[in-house]
Amino acid sequence: MTQYYKPIEYVVTSEEEGWILKNVLQRKLGISRKLLSKIKLTERGVMLNGERVYISVPVTAGDQVAISLEKETSDDILPQNIDFDIIYEDDDILVVNKTAGMIVHPTHGHYTDTLANAVVYYWNQQGEQFRFRPVHRLDQYTSGLIAIAKNKYVHQHISEQMIAGTVLKKYQALVYGKLSQKSGSIDAPIDRDPVDPHLRIVSLTGQAAFTTYELIEQYKDTAFVELQLGTGRTHQIRVHMLSIGHPLIGDEMYFDTTKQQDRLEKVMGRQALHAYKLGFVHPTTGEEMLFEAPLPLDMLQLKNELI
């Protein structure tokens, strides 16, 4: 028997009197054409005042519109009992504080011990049925906030906010060098490294990438900074900060750490980068959501070393 998530509902207003239902779904609920075509094929499909209808019917003020999404599972992900930090959860969204060293989603050659394995196990234990749909990713050794959508509708809406640049993503980092100014922006395209495709470089042939930074604390030859992403390119912060002469402490992939203080590398053991603030509009309630995750212990210890 097909199972469904809690319906997404909307009450037609007097301004929408006479609209066809399709326009209400697309313009008021923001349902994409692709998702709408899938909903129409389900048993419940689109409901108007509790009845299954075609999306070409006109609506009247006060009509109750409801859509139901079929429940999905991540059958290709092995559930594993792994602890993880839940910051927030409701019927639509799960926000977690990922630990450094944990991969977000299984990849070729790395099918277990990921955040996905942990979350799928957690949902199973709760008797819930969702497909693992992270709205964005973090590098394996970057800690911090990740939002996970529990259905296609929520994933679509937050993804669209990210494309529009309205999702707030702020990071904290420890970098080398003395910053010449307290704040600034880096507008530099990023492309794959032609020599090593696993790496990224600043290149005129790359995709547009924009990062802003603010100096929080300046130490002798290192600094604590806050960064905000305007785009979401792979390794963006690491590449951008390297490009202006302030590589992240511990970032062995992009910086020859032997040239710097070995004690700092030993304290850190990874790039000193933490996604500490995440904000977006909740797709079903319209509420402004804002989450924060405290600086992890390893970065806090390194920060104290630098003071």
Side-chain angles (χ1 to χ4, degrees):
M1 182 179 178
T2 303
Q3 293 182 304
Y4 293 85
Y5 296 122
K6 179 181 177 181
I8 299 167
E9 300 176 326
Y10 180 78
V11 179
V12 177
T13 69
S14 58
E15 294 179 355
E16 295 124 33
E17 176 92 34
W19 286 20
I20 63 170
L21 181 54
K22 178 182 178 181
N23 288 342
V24 174
L25 296 170
Q26 292 184 328
R27 293 165 61 180
K28 293 300 177 178
L29 287 175
I31 299 174
S32 68
R33 184 180 301 177
K34 181 179 180 181
L35 180 55
L36 184 56
S37 65
K38 292 181 179 180
I39 295 172
K40 286 162 56 181
L41 297 175
T42 64
E43 182 181 351
R44 292 187 183 178
V46 180
M47 309 285 282
L48 187 65
N49 299 322
E51 294 185 3
R52 184 81 153 77
V53 295
Y54 292 107
I55 61 174
S56 57
V57 301
V59 296
T60 303
D63 280 351
Q64 304 280 333
V65 179
I67 60 169
S68 297
L69 300 171
E70 290 184 354
K71 285 193 172 183
E72 303 172 288
T73 58
S74 291
D75 295 330
D76 55 335
I77 297 175
L78 176 69
Q80 284 183 281
N81 186 7
I82 304 171
D83 287 337
F84 65 97
D85 184 15
I86 297 176
I87 300 295
Y88 173 84
E89 185 176 19
D90 61 23
D91 291 339
D92 303 302
I93 299 166
L94 174 67
V95 178
V96 307
N97 180 18
K98 185 185 82 69
T99 58
M102 178 178 276
I103 293 175
V104 174
H105 202 284
T107 59
H108 180 67
H110 201 132
Y111 302 106
T112 59
D113 301 319
T114 72
L115 179 60
N117 299 113
V119 170
V120 169
Y121 177 88
Y122 163 73
W123 281 336
N124 286 351
Q125 295 301 300
Q126 301 298 312
E128 299 286 2
Q129 185 176 319
F130 303 108
R131 183 164 185 80
F132 184 76
R133 295 179 181 275
V135 179
H136 55 108
R137 306 284 180 96
L138 291 178
D139 295 339
Q140 180 178 359
Y141 293 104
T142 297
S143 57
L145 295 168
I146 292 182
I148 301 163
K150 291 186 174 182
N151 60 59
K152 295 175 183 176
Y153 176 80
V154 172
H155 187 273
Q156 172 208 312
H157 272 256
I158 302 180
S159 296
E160 288 174 350
Q161 290 178 49
M162 291 186 68
I163 294 170
T166 58
V167 172
L168 177 67
K169 292 188 289 182
K170 286 193 174 183
Y171 293 71
Q172 294 169 326
L174 290 158
V175 302
Y176 286 114
K178 291 186 177 181
L179 275 71
S180 59
Q181 51 190 28
K182 291 187 176 181
S183 63
S185 60
I186 308 167
D187 187 356
I190 293 177
D191 204 349
R192 287 183 183 274
D193 187 326
V195 177
D196 185 347
H198 294 99
L199 300 179
R200 300 295 187 273
I201 59 172
V202 168
S203 171
L204 293 176
T205 62
Q207 293 180 300
F210 186 76
T211 305
T212 60
Y213 65 87
E214 180 179 354
L215 175 64
I216 306 301
E217 294 178 13
Q218 179 68 65
Y219 313 119
K220 181 180 178 181
D221 53 6
T222 57
F224 182 48
V225 297
E226 179 179 288
L227 306 110
Q228 183 169 338
L229 290 180
T231 52
R233 309 303 176 200
T234 301
H235 301 172
Q236 178 172 318
I237 288 175
R238 299 160 68 182
V239 173
H240 270 178
M241 292 307 291
L242 175 64
S243 74
I244 63 169
H246 298 287
L248 272 61
I249 295 175
D251 192 354
E252 296 182 356
M253 178 178 284
Y254 284 99
F255 189 60
D256 184 358
T257 57
T258 60
K259 296 179 180 178
Q260 296 295 334
Q261 303 175 50
D262 290 340
R263 68 180 181 85
L264 299 185
E265 307 304 335
K266 290 177 181 178
V267 169
M268 199 59 217
R270 67 167 176 109
Q271 69 262 14
L273 183 62
H274 176 63
Y276 89 101
K277 187 174 288 188
L278 178 66
F280 53 84
V281 176
H282 196 293
T284 59
T285 68
E287 182 183 355
E288 293 277 354
M289 311 295 288
L290 183 63
F291 307 100
E292 289 193 28
L295 201 65
L297 183 60
D298 59 352
M299 285 186 64
L300 188 58
Q301 289 175 335
L302 176 57
K303 185 172 177 288
N304 291 335
E305 286 264 337
L306 301 174
I307 295 175

